Amino acid sequence: MSTAGVLAAAMLVDAVFGEPRWLWSRLPHPVVLMGRAVTWIDTRFNRGMSRRTSGAVGLALLCIPTFVLGWVPSALPGGWVIELAVAAALLAQRSLVIHVGDVAASLRVSLGDGRRAVASIVGRDTEGMDRTAVARAAVESAAENLSDGVIAPVFWFLVAGLPGLLVYKLVNTADSMIGYRDERYGEFGWAAARFDDLLNLVPARLTAVLIALLHGLTEVRAIVTDAALHRSPNAGWPEAAMARVVGIALSGPRSYDGRIRDFPYVYPEGRRQAGPADIERAVTVIWRVWAVAILAALAIAAT
């Protein structure tokens, strides 16, 4: 089966079955294994004076064998089945819509339920959030994770097959664990953060383009301008497009570890009030982009 055909099948399997608990309660999820590998380099290499260098070396020691490992199934009879299973496990379409949708459903019950639900998908402080802050956080998470949890894995699988997907997910996992600008990881996690930025450069912009095209957005220059306001070089792109589709201002001030960070708004002219209906609108956007992505994979497979 072609790479695009395997990808389309994996996308469908993920969308239908997601991450079955019966399986991952018995076996370690690939991302869990990647997390353990990142913890290993953190323990072994995050010491001494030249932490930026040691962080880059440690990341390379993980990426190179991961890339080589990705080639193994192609050398096996019926290896495409393994590729399909691993790719489906590393895509996040169904888990994304479930978790984001849970925030909308929980927020309709009560603010406290909404806060607890959104706490599972964002890293900021949630205790003092009002309804708008909960809804905005969920929509932001929907936009960002549509890019790095769905479109980026699809993109890198198409470009470099299973090796490309595995390396992308490894680097993305490393960035989420050690890519912080703090005393412990500011230097050591530099390589992971920068490599993650590089790998998401095209997918983030592609996600914004897909959102815009599917919803008739013509404010291309405004999306580009708003994306530049975001603290991330990539997350601002899907957020700027999603903000216009949903009609609300995203990003803006938020609290981390009890400290308010005064970030600028993305799409500042958008509504400042938000609720469950806006989250549900974002979920619809996710499904539409996914549908176009799988159709593109099928079209490529048919050529």
Coordinates of all heavy atoms in Angstrom, one line a residue, residues 100 103 118-119 121-122 124-126 129 131-143 145 239 248-251 254 274 279:
V100 N -11.8 18.5 23.7 CA -12.3 19.9 23.6 C -13.8 19.9 23.7 O -14.4 20.8 24.4 CB -11.9 20.4 22.2 CG1 -12.6 21.8 21.9 CG2 -10.4 20.6 22.1
V103 N -15.0 20.0 27.3 CA -15.0 21.3 27.9 C -16.4 22.0 27.7 O -16.9 22.6 28.7 CB -13.9 22.2 27.4 CG1 -13.9 23.5 28.1 CG2 -12.5 21.5 27.7
V118 N -11.1 21.9 31.3 CA -10.1 22.6 30.5 C -8.7 22.4 31.1 O -7.7 22.5 30.4 CB -10.5 24.1 30.3 CG1 -10.0 24.9 31.6 CG2 -9.9 24.7 29.1
A119 N -8.6 22.1 32.4 CA -7.3 21.9 33.0 C -6.6 20.7 32.4 O -5.4 20.6 32.5 CB -7.5 21.7 34.5
I121 N -6.4 20.0 29.3 CA -5.8 20.3 28.0 C -5.0 21.5 27.9 O -4.4 21.8 26.8 CB -7.0 20.3 26.9 CG1 -7.9 21.4 27.2 CG2 -7.7 19.0 26.8 CD1 -9.0 21.6 26.1
V122 N -4.9 22.3 28.9 CA -4.0 23.5 28.9 C -3.1 23.5 30.1 O -3.3 22.8 31.1 CB -4.9 24.8 28.9 CG1 -5.8 24.9 27.7 CG2 -5.7 24.9 30.2
R124 N -2.0 26.4 31.7 CA -2.1 27.6 32.5 C -2.9 27.4 33.7 O -3.6 26.3 33.9 CB -2.8 28.7 31.6 CG -4.2 28.5 31.4 CD -4.8 29.4 30.3 NE -4.3 28.9 29.0 CZ -4.7 29.3 27.8 NH1 -5.7 30.3 27.8 NH2 -4.3 28.9 26.7
D125 N -3.0 28.3 34.6 CA -3.8 28.2 35.8 C -5.3 28.3 35.4 O -5.7 29.2 34.6 CB -3.5 29.4 36.8 CG -2.0 29.4 37.3 OD1 -1.4 28.3 37.3 OD2 -1.5 30.4 37.6
T126 N -6.1 27.5 36.0 CA -7.5 27.4 35.6 C -8.4 27.8 36.8 O -9.6 28.0 36.6 CB -7.9 26.0 35.1 OG1 -7.6 25.0 36.2 CG2 -7.1 25.7 33.9
M129 N -10.4 31.1 36.4 CA -11.0 31.4 35.1 C -12.5 31.6 35.2 O -13.2 30.9 36.0 CB -10.8 30.2 34.1 CG -9.4 30.1 33.6 SD -9.4 28.7 32.4 CE -7.7 29.0 31.7
R131 N -16.2 32.0 32.7 CA -16.7 31.2 31.6 C -16.0 31.6 30.3 O -15.7 30.7 29.5 CB -18.2 31.4 31.5 CG -19.0 30.7 32.5 CD -20.5 31.1 32.4 NE -21.1 30.7 31.1 CZ -21.6 29.5 30.8 NH1 -21.5 28.5 31.7 NH2 -22.1 29.3 29.6
T132 N -15.8 32.8 30.1 CA -15.1 33.3 28.8 C -13.7 32.7 28.7 O -13.3 32.2 27.7 CB -15.1 34.8 28.7 OG1 -16.5 35.2 28.4 CG2 -14.2 35.3 27.6
A133 N -13.0 32.8 29.8 CA -11.6 32.3 29.9 C -11.5 30.8 29.6 O -10.6 30.3 28.9 CB -10.9 32.7 31.2
V134 N -12.5 30.1 30.2 CA -12.5 28.6 29.9 C -12.8 28.3 28.4 O -12.1 27.5 27.8 CB -13.6 28.0 30.8 CG1 -13.8 26.5 30.4 CG2 -13.2 28.0 32.3
A135 N -13.8 29.0 27.9 CA -14.1 28.8 26.5 C -13.0 29.2 25.6 O -12.6 28.5 24.6 CB -15.4 29.6 26.1
R136 N -12.3 30.4 25.9 CA -11.2 30.8 25.0 C -10.1 29.8 25.1 O -9.5 29.5 24.0 CB -10.8 32.2 25.5 CG -9.6 32.8 24.6 CD -9.1 34.1 25.2 NE -10.1 35.1 25.2 CZ -10.5 35.8 26.2 NH1 -9.9 35.6 27.4 NH2 -11.4 36.8 26.1
A137 N -9.8 29.3 26.3 CA -8.7 28.4 26.4 C -8.9 27.1 25.6 O -8.0 26.6 24.9 CB -8.5 28.0 27.9
A138 N -10.2 26.7 25.6 CA -10.6 25.4 24.8 C -10.4 25.7 23.3 O -9.9 24.8 22.6 CB -12.0 25.0 25.2
V139 N -10.9 26.8 22.9 CA -10.8 27.2 21.4 C -9.3 27.3 21.0 O -8.9 26.8 19.9 CB -11.6 28.4 21.1 CG1 -11.3 28.8 19.6 CG2 -13.0 28.2 21.4
E140 N -8.5 27.9 21.9 CA -7.1 28.0 21.6 C -6.4 26.7 21.5 O -5.6 26.4 20.6 CB -6.4 28.9 22.6 CG -6.7 30.3 22.6 CD -6.2 31.0 23.9 OE1 -5.5 30.4 24.7 OE2 -6.6 32.2 24.1
S141 N -6.8 25.8 22.4 CA -6.2 24.4 22.4 C -6.7 23.7 21.2 O -5.9 22.9 20.6 CB -6.7 23.7 23.7 OG -6.1 22.4 23.7
A142 N -7.9 23.9 20.8 CA -8.4 23.2 19.6 C -7.6 23.7 18.3 O -7.2 22.8 17.5 CB -9.9 23.6 19.3
A143 N -7.3 25.0 18.2 CA -6.6 25.5 17.1 C -5.1 24.9 17.1 O -4.6 24.4 16.1 CB -6.6 27.0 17.1
N145 N -3.8 22.4 18.7 CA -3.6 20.9 18.6 C -4.1 20.4 17.3 O -3.7 19.3 16.9 CB -4.3 20.3 19.8 CG -3.6 20.4 21.1 OD1 -2.5 19.8 21.3 ND2 -4.1 21.2 22.0
E239 N -4.4 29.8 15.4 CA -5.3 30.6 16.3 C -5.8 31.8 15.6 O -7.0 32.2 15.8 CB -4.5 31.0 17.5 CG -4.3 29.8 18.5 CD -3.8 30.3 19.9 OE1 -4.0 31.5 20.2 OE2 -3.1 29.5 20.6
I248 N -14.2 35.2 18.0 CA -13.8 35.7 19.4 C -12.3 36.0 19.4 O -11.5 35.5 18.6 CB -14.1 34.7 20.5 CG1 -13.3 33.4 20.2 CG2 -15.6 34.4 20.6 CD1 -13.5 32.4 21.4
A249 N -11.9 36.9 20.3 CA -10.5 37.3 20.5 C -9.8 36.1 21.2 O -10.4 35.7 22.2 CB -10.3 38.6 21.2
L250 N -8.7 35.7 20.8 CA -8.0 34.6 21.5 C -6.7 35.1 22.1 O -6.3 36.2 21.9 CB -7.7 33.4 20.5 CG -8.9 32.7 19.9 CD1 -8.5 31.6 19.0 CD2 -9.8 32.1 21.1
S251 N -6.0 34.2 22.7 CA -4.7 34.5 23.4 C -5.1 35.6 24.5 O -6.0 35.4 25.3 CB -3.6 35.0 22.5 OG -2.4 35.0 23.1
R254 N -3.3 35.8 30.7 CA -3.6 34.6 31.3 C -2.6 34.4 32.5 O -1.5 35.0 32.5 CB -3.6 33.4 30.4 CG -2.3 32.8 29.9 CD -1.8 33.5 28.7 NE -2.9 33.7 27.7 CZ -3.3 32.7 26.9 NH1 -2.7 31.5 26.9 NH2 -4.2 33.0 26.0
A274 N -17.3 34.7 25.5 CA -17.3 33.4 24.8 C -18.0 32.3 25.7 O -18.0 32.5 26.9 CB -15.9 32.9 24.4
I279 N -16.9 26.9 21.6 CA -16.1 25.7 21.6 C -16.6 24.6 20.6 O -15.9 24.0 19.9 CB -16.1 25.1 23.0 CG1 -15.6 26.1 24.1 CG2 -15.2 23.8 23.1 CD1 -15.7 25.6 25.5

